[in-house]
Amino acid sequence: MSNTIIGENLPHIPWEARPSDCNDVIWRFSANPILGWNPIPKAARIYNSAVIPFGDGFAGVFRADQKNGRATLFSGRSKDAINWEFDPDPIEWVDENGAPNPTSYSYDPRVLKLEGQYYINWCDDLRGASIGMGTTKDFKTFIRMSNPLMPFNRNGVLFPRQINGKYMLLSRPSDSGHTPFGDIFISESPDLVHWGRHKFVMGSGGNGWWQGLKIGAGPVPIETTEGWLLFYHGVVGTCNGFVYSVGAVILDIDDPSKVLYRTRDYILTPEKPYETTGFVPNVAFPCANLYDAETGRIAIYYGAADTYTAVAFTQVDELLDYIKNNSEVF
Ligand code: BMA
């Protein structure tokens, strides 16, 4: 029992106890990766994807790189959030009147439920990378809304409820390429259309090199009695390219621009063959989490090596204690 997560009881989320030989605060699913090369005819790789409870099972929006190399989003469904069935074709976005509203590429989706419907954020093309925002009620019809922020920007993540009467969106301003910098900012909106009052939340750097180059928000924040629990990715530049690891922060519940605690060390880094080897080696990129409020169990979904989809587990009380006791806020 845990009373720490403020949210739904979802006893059917994937779960596996920590292996007896593991002392880490996060542990990997023994059947990782759950998706491998060429998972469906139209996709070479499905990774960096978002899943959410839906009906009596789960739904998801998946980053699928097609065989021409272009990133697109596909809709999928599952009974157990491990075995997925995907639509054969990418999501066809429409506008509010049902007219086609396509985008030339889309990647790294996040999905959340907000006020009775589902919202999707992703990296969209607004003459260069920017934040996309869309909504669906049934994971069949997807309405593409206006882009909340100007290019260039990535890693847009909405909060799952209004805070002080405003919608809140994390983002990571960037450049048009493989950005060699990046800090997390927050913006607010009265209506999910007009965004402003931008504030800095947290930057790359600190004593640990693993997050020295850039950082970006990961899955939708989880509301807890200690604050908003947010997983994020931290990047270091090496002589062989970028390495993406996972950290976590606790943000103030009423003012999430305030960082209360932040992991000094990474809590997951590419170690397993499916994380160190693939289309882009050495990437662990979290985009979704499922939780069960009653037990405090959390399943984290992350893309591995821009090729695979993998799952890791943690227990909220242990994780929050770990973050508090191993924190470096800068
Ligand atoms: C980032 C994004 C992610 C990707 C990562 C590593 O800029 O494109 O989708 O996982 O690079 O290639």
Side-chain angles (χ1 to χ4, degrees), residues 47-48 63 107-108 154-155 172 177-179 214 233 242 244 280 283 285 306:
Y47 60 101
N48 297 7
R63 173 186 177 151
Y107 58 85
D108 299 355
R154 293 173 166 99
N155 298 302
R172 208 282 302 283
H178 299 292
T179 315
K214 57 179 171 176
H233 63 260
F242 295 165
Y244 284 69
V280 179
V283 181
F285 196 98
D306 286 11

